[in-house]
Every structure is written in C-alpha cells, then in structure tokens.
Amino acid sequence: MFFEQAIAHAKSHLSFLLACALTTCAATCGSHAVASNAPDADLAACNAGPFESILSPAAMPATDARAYWLSSKLIRWPGLAADSKVRLYISRTGQLKLSKGTKPSGFDEVAALTESDTALDSSIAKRFAYIGPGKVYELAHAGLQQLRSLQQSQAMIVTEDNEGRVIDYTGLQIAGALDDLYKTAGNLNDYGASIRKAAVANKTQTQFRVWAPTAQRVSICLYPDGKAKSTSILPMQSDTDTGNWQTSAGVDLSGKYYTYLIDVYVPGRGLVRNRVTDPYSISLTTDSKRSYIADLSSSKLKPLGWDEQTPNTKVKNQTDMQVYELHVRDFSINDATVRPAWRGKYLAFSETNSNGMRHFQALSAAGMTDIHLLPVFDFATVAEAGCQTPVIKGKADGEEQQKIATQYADKDCYNWGYEPYHYNAPEGSYATDASDGAKRIIEFRKMVMALHNAGLRVGMDVVYNHTAGAGQTAYSVLDRIVPGYYQRLNQRGQIERSTCCDNTATENAMMAKLMSDSVLLWAQHYKIDSFRFDLMGHQPRQAMEDMQARLLRETGRQIQFLGKAGILVKLRTASALSRHRSCHSMAAA
C-alpha cells in the first residue's frame, strides 16, 4: 500500500541523519559531529537557483476541482446526476490520464465509491453548506493508513459509462479531509525551528517541525550563513497522527539558516521537490531566501531593559484608544535629525531627540494612546538590499512623473506592505542589515521599546486574509508546502481573490492556527498592544473570538482587535512613494 511505500522510502534516507547538522562544526561538536553524506540531488536542490525540481512530470494538465472531501471518507460532487457510476482513481506520482470517451490509464489504484444515505454530521453540514446539494459518496472500507496515503497522491473522481469510459472527471478540494485526518495537529505550539533542552542528558538541541500531510518526503537544507552553500541535509520523519514532519539536531544551531525540501504532488506539475522557507520563520536572510534559527527568548536578541518594561495602562476600554497610523519608512526617511544610516529604519525610533520622536512625545502628552504601524511583518516585493529611490521630476500636469514612477515600480524602496510573505518575521528592508537574521529582531524590539518609553502603545496592521503568492510561484510559501489547502477556493477549485490577492482560507483549521499562533508571537515576544486586521470580515468570527480569548489567557493582557472592512483599491499617483503594489504583478514576478 502507498503508506508502507512511503515509510520504506523515508527509511532509505535515514543514513543521512546528522547530529551536528553542519560539517563545518565537525571539529568542535565532539561526539555530536557526523559528516554529511547527503545525496548529490538533494544538495543540488538546496543550492539551485530554481526553487522547484520536477521528480515525475504530470501526465495530464491541471483540472478544475469541483468535488469536495467533506471528511476523510466522504465526498460530494455538487450537481452530479443521481445514480452516476463513480470511481476514485489514484496515482502516487501523477501519472493518471483521463479523457472523456476513453478509459482511464496510468493509475496505481482505483477505489469504488458507494452512495451514503447517512445524514451528515451537523458540523460538516454547516461547514459545507455553501457548496450546494448533491449525493454524498463514501470510501466505506478504506482504513486510516490508506486514507492518509491517498492525500499524498493524485486523486481524481470520475463518472463512467457501463463500459468504463469517462463521462466526466474532476479534482477534489482537500481541506475537509485533512482537517478530519489530522485533528490533533492544532494542539501543538512549537512549529518551525525551536531551541530547547533535551529531556535526556539536559543538552541543548534544535527541533524542527512543519505541517506537511500531503508530502511524500521532507528534509532540511542547513546553511552556515545567509550566503554560503548548504553542505548538509537533515531528513525529517513523518508523524502520521498529526501530518507533521519533524526532527531534532543534537546541538544548538542558533544563528544558522535553513529551508525545507518537500516532495509533494502538485496538480498539473506532478511530483515535485520544492525548496521553501518555513511558514513559521521568526526571521530570514536578505529577500527572505532562507529561514533563520534562533530562540526569541534569548538575551542576545533583547535590547537592554526589554524584560523590565511594564504594560501601558492608558487604555482601559477600547473606546479610549486614540490611534495614529504610521508607515515605518515615512516616519524618518526625510528627517535630517535622524542619523543617515537609520533613516527609514526601525532604529530611527531610538533617536529620542529627533523631530519625529519629539512630536510623538508631544502627542502622547496630549492624549494619543496608540501608534499603529502599517505592515511590519516580512512582505514581498521591496528589495531588502540594493533598492533604488527614483528622482521624480516633471510638470505637475504632465506624464513624466508617472512614467518615472512606473519605471521604478519593481525596484524602488517603498511599498505599503500589504503583501504577506512570512507572517511571523519582521520586515527586512527596515533593518540596518537585512542579511543578519538577528538584527531585524533586535531593531524591531528597540523600535517598540522607544515608543513605549514615549508613553505610546504599539499596534500592528496585520494581513492574514491573503498571501503575496500561491501555487508554484516565487512568493508562495504555504501553497508550495500543502498545495490546495491554505488558500480559499471557489466552486471550480480556483483561488479566490476578493481581497485583491490570493485569499487565505482561515476557515481551515491549520490556517486559523497559523493566524492565531502568529498574533500570539507578536504579542508575547514583541509586546504588541493591539492589532488592526486588514479585511477582518474575511476571517470567521469564531476564529477571531477564539484568538482574542487565547491572547488574554496566555499574556494576561487585554489586547484590542480593530478591523478594516473596506476594499483595497490600487491608486495610480504621480509618485512611486504612494501606492499599494498590485498582487497580479507580484504573482508574475
């Protein structure tokens, strides 16, 4: 069965396990040092220019996905005629071929589906009420291992005539099955890379965990810094109960970098190996190419006095808030009282005698309570090194200004930031050195502490309703790890874009968890006082209420949520310094 094949495949790579993880430390890691003998193909994938390598090309192009997994065993294809002869065809490597009027080929297995007359569980019926009526089909005799293995494969639902020829076929939307199969994945709170003491021998180790239930194989590329090539691979092991892949290195890898190699079936592409950063990255190197390993509670990442801050008590009730919305770069980029190297950066807020900070001190004394920062999480399109600031010139009523702005649109130093790339990491273009994963953490904290010292609370504008990219595109992270899960899909299986960009599906358990974990991280580790949610109406109300209750429970603070309900509009202005970059152009980048 597929499940057993996957286990055997994973075991064949266990010989590559590294305790030290980096061959460069072999001389100093003592008994933990193990020389890397990673396969050449894996190391090539770690260091290649393209992030994708195709292991087994798909035998047919991507199709629509009009059918839905309601649970691990139940399927509905809305609008399908009653008494249709329906089967599920499966290929581990994407070799299935379907064409109307011919018999299916290239499949590894075919599963008969039986019509179910049992009433749907109320929670399932409520969740999928929007998809419309239709018969429910069941994989009645499939075991748990088979159901999990099926989700790692190409699976297509087909209606046939009495001779076995295809009448119609479609893909399936997978969220209902994954949420049912891996309910316990949401109980864990240590996704990403974490530094901890081992239970045995009290030794520090580095743990990695990523949720990738549809992956056939996952490993970690380890890098000594943000530029050097990887010479080491750390294989990960699958936890079939949670859909997680995890492993531990026997040493503290703080200050190093990593990416995942994920072998996963992608509709229309086949079985691919994706090199991808961690959705739970707490920091990255330049332009978000590699995830950074660190412990956010380490004193090395805290400014002097960070732990001694006390919560601001200006706001007793949400109606007490007096909010000033601010863009980090705008705050200081033209302020001559800020040293040049800090202009437009987090550290500009540390210049307590600058014009900007004196103004904020005065506003605070006058009753201002909150500075709300436009997006400061890691966003996509501003180059974190080598960006260019155009010199805008031309007549006020002419077209030259717009022409210059357009020429620099993809390489200038400014964006509003509504292009989420990594939700849990500070944006690198506001750090003095984006190549150093530690600096953006420390400097962000210095900004927060400076505003707190001025008597102001700090709020974040957060954008969990969409991502900067999806599918097999450069700015896609979530969708290259679990294709078809994290993004909200329409009735044909295409990604919805009602937010301007690729919508996220916070109605799905692990996307809602990522949002909740992210907000908690900012509140706990960066002492954020309030959050303004971009297009809050795109999130389920229950998810928002649960998240706010969690914050109160785990931080002991009442943290306010504000929501924006409007539609974002792309404005064309005479200056490249005032725009929301189009997500359509990002997807093509």
Side-chain angles (χ1 to χ4, degrees):
M1 194 56 211
F2 296 149
F3 176 82
E4 287 78 10
Q5 292 171 1
I7 294 297
H9 185 58
K11 286 181 177 178
S12 70
H13 296 281
L14 291 181
S15 60
F16 308 129
L17 184 63
L18 312 175
C20 174
L22 291 173
T23 56
T24 54
C25 71
T28 59
C29 291
S31 62
H32 293 294
V34 177
S36 172
N37 59 343
D40 291 342
D42 285 1
L43 283 179
C46 290
N47 298 314
F51 58 75
E52 172 200 67
S53 54
I54 298 179
L55 306 178
S56 177
M60 61 185 292
T63 68
D64 56 22
R66 291 172 281 138
Y68 297 78
W69 286 102
L70 304 179
S71 67
S72 60
K73 287 189 174 185
L74 301 179
I75 295 171
R76 177 181 286 170
W77 185 348
L80 189 65
D83 301 320
S84 297
K85 183 180 179 181
V86 181
R87 286 181 164 183
L88 193 70
Y89 285 88
I90 303 155
S91 170
R92 184 74 172 174
T93 56
Q95 299 309 297
L96 178 61
K97 292 182 181 179
L98 298 171
S99 180
K100 293 181 181 180
T102 65
K103 293 184 177 182
S105 63
F107 53 90
D108 299 319
E109 186 173 328
V110 58
L113 295 169
T114 58
E115 291 190 11
S116 174
D117 295 323
T118 305
L120 290 176
D121 178 271
S122 60
S123 62
I124 295 176
K126 181 179 180 181
R127 175 175 180 178
F128 291 101
Y130 69 94
I131 71 173
K135 289 295 298 182
V136 174
Y137 295 89
E138 183 176 9
L139 282 168
H141 304 295
L144 185 59
Q145 291 183 350
Q146 181 182 3
L147 293 170
R148 287 171 172 167
S149 179
L150 191 156
Q151 295 300 327
Q152 297 176 347
S153 308
Q154 178 190 25
M156 302 285 290
I157 188 170
V158 179
T159 60
E160 302 174 345
D161 63 19
N162 290 332
E163 302 299 322
R165 293 184 293 262
V166 175
I167 298 173
D168 197 5
Y169 61 92
T170 188
L172 300 101
Q173 299 187 30
I174 63 175
L178 296 187
D179 285 350
D180 186 32
L181 287 167
Y182 303 106
K183 293 184 180 75
T184 58
N187 298 334
L188 300 172
N189 293 320
D190 52 357
Y191 285 92
S194 53
I195 312 298
R196 58 185 59 223
K197 292 285 187 181
V200 180
N202 198 34
K203 294 180 179 178
T204 303
Q205 61 181 9
T206 306
Q207 174 184 286
F208 299 90
R209 176 175 286 135
V210 62
W211 191 68
T214 63
Q216 297 184 16
R217 178 174 176 245
V218 182
S219 52
I220 298 171
C221 303
L222 292 161
Y223 308 88
D225 55 43
K227 295 181 179 179
K229 289 185 176 181
S230 172
T231 57
S232 301
I233 303 286
L234 192 62
M236 302 187 79
Q237 292 76 50
S238 173
D239 176 359
T240 55
D241 289 335
T242 62
N244 291 321
W245 291 75
Q246 54 203 38
T247 193
S248 294
V251 294
D252 184 344
L253 295 176
S254 293
K256 310 303 181 185
Y257 294 83
Y258 68 104
T259 57
Y260 294 118
L261 289 183
I262 296 185
D263 294 1
V264 64
Y265 169 73
V266 178
R269 304 291 287 174
L271 183 62
V272 305
R273 177 165 294 159
N274 275 328
R275 185 182 69 247
V276 60
T277 46
D278 195 328
Y280 277 79
S281 298
I282 58 168
S283 191
L284 303 114
T285 190
T286 309
D287 293 330
S288 309
K289 299 298 185 184
R290 299 172 182 178
S291 300
Y292 181 68
I293 302 171
D295 178 5
L296 285 175
S297 63
S298 170
S299 60
K300 296 178 181 178
L301 298 177
K302 296 177 180 178
L304 185 64
W306 177 255
D307 289 331
E308 287 67 50
Q309 295 177 88
T310 57
N312 186 306
T313 58
K314 278 185 175 181
V315 174
K316 304 295 184 184
N317 301 293
Q318 190 146 325
T319 51
D320 297 334
M321 296 177 70
Q322 299 290 328
V323 179
Y324 186 117
E325 189 176 68
L326 180 73
H327 187 282
V328 167
R329 188 173 186 273
D330 281 349
F331 171 68
S332 62
I333 192 63
N334 295 314
D335 188 348
T337 64
V338 174
R339 66 194 73 182
W342 290 8
R343 292 175 193 168
K345 308 295 184 180
Y346 299 125
L347 287 182
F349 295 84
S350 300
E351 294 271 28
T352 56
N353 290 319
S354 69
N355 290 339
M357 285 307 294
R358 288 201 304 270
H359 181 58
F360 278 167
Q361 291 157 14
L363 288 175
S364 176
M368 185 69 67
T369 65
D370 288 66
I371 298 297
H372 265 204
L373 301 169
L374 267 70
V376 284
F377 51 72
D378 181 56
F379 54 81
T381 60
V382 170
E384 294 181 349
C387 67
Q388 301 176 39
T389 300
V391 177
I392 305 297
K393 58 184 179 180
K395 296 180 179 180
D397 60 349
E399 297 183 357
E400 187 177 4
Q401 296 181 51
Q402 183 63 52
K403 182 179 179 180
I404 295 171
T406 301
Q407 289 174 347
Y408 281 84
D410 293 325
K411 52 191 175 183
D412 69 16
C413 303
Y414 189 92
N415 198 287
W416 290 353
Y418 292 86
E419 327 164 322
Y421 199 177
H422 298 88
Y423 288 117
N424 296 356
E427 164 60 16
S429 66
Y430 300 148
T432 57
D433 183 359
S435 69
D436 184 343
K439 284 196 174 182
R440 64 178 79 185
I441 297 170
I442 297 168
E443 293 175 4
F444 189 108
R445 285 171 162 171
K446 287 184 176 181
M447 172 185 66
V448 171
M449 192 159 69
L451 289 169
H452 282 168
N453 289 341
L456 294 162
R457 294 163 20 112
V458 180
M460 279 181 64
D461 190 336
V462 287
V463 188
Y464 296 106
N465 61 76
H466 65 252
T467 54
Q472 292 295 109
T473 59
Y475 295 127
S476 174
V477 176
L478 299 170
D479 213 22
R480 287 199 280 127
I481 294 176
V482 192
Y485 178 82
Y486 284 102
Q487 316 293 154
R488 183 172 294 139
L489 308 178
N490 65 19
Q491 62 186 1
R492 300 191 65 83
Q494 301 162 330
I495 296 174
E496 292 278 12
R497 299 175 66 88
S498 57
T499 61
C500 86
C501 310
D502 296 319
N503 288 11
T504 58
T506 40
E507 62 272 20
N508 297 341
M510 292 304 283
M511 182 60 218
K513 176 175 174 55
L514 173 58
M515 177 173 66
S516 179
D517 289 349
S518 178
V519 169
L520 180 64
L521 179 144
W522 290 109
Q524 285 185 326
H525 291 287
Y526 292 94
K527 302 186 185 297
I528 296 300
D529 301 292
S530 61
F531 293 90
R532 180 269 205 186
F533 288 82
D534 186 61
L535 299 182
M536 185 191 281
H538 278 68
Q539 322 302 349
R541 182 184 181 92
Q542 191 61 53
M544 299 301 297
E545 291 179 353
D546 291 346
M547 183 164 53
Q548 192 166 47
R550 181 188 183 191
L551 286 184
L552 178 60
R553 184 173 62 251
E554 299 197 31
T555 69
R557 293 186 287 141
Q558 186 67 54
I559 294 173
Q560 289 76 28
F561 286 3
L562 288 77
K564 175 185 175 183
I567 300 298
L568 294 175
V569 178
K570 184 186 177 186
L571 300 176
R572 291 192 175 273
T573 69
S575 171
L577 305 184
S578 179
R579 74 180 189 286
H580 182 299
R581 185 169 286 135
S582 166
C583 289
H584 293 276
S585 65
M586 291 191 299

